[in-house]
Amino acid sequence: MARAGRRVTVLDTRAMLAYLDGEPGAHDVRQLLRNARRKRISVLFSIINYGESV
């Protein structure tokens, strides 16, 4: 769950596929995921979008 005051970003299938395939936009998604790992932001990705990505 996102903490109060922390920015929340929701990734869609297109963003994740760009990241996985190294397409334009992959760098932006990589930065979002790095910031999430460092607990600076929260990133959400639905199970439906996950199923579309694999």
Side-chain angles (χ1 to χ4, degrees):
M1 180 66 60
R3 296 182 186 246
R6 186 182 295 176
R7 188 177 89 182
V8 177
T9 300
V10 179
L11 297 179
D12 64 2
T13 303
R14 185 71 217 126
M16 189 53 72
L17 288 175
Y19 171 73
L20 293 173
D21 295 338
E23 295 176 356
H27 175 76
D28 296 329
V29 176
R30 186 178 309 113
Q31 288 302 109
L32 288 169
L33 295 174
R34 284 181 179 162
N35 285 329
R37 187 176 32 197
R38 294 176 181 141
K39 301 192 184 314
R40 294 178 182 159
I41 65 171
S42 294
V43 173
L44 304 176
F45 189 63
S46 81
I47 192 72
I48 301 299
N49 294 118
Y50 173 79
E52 293 175 338
S53 299
V54 293

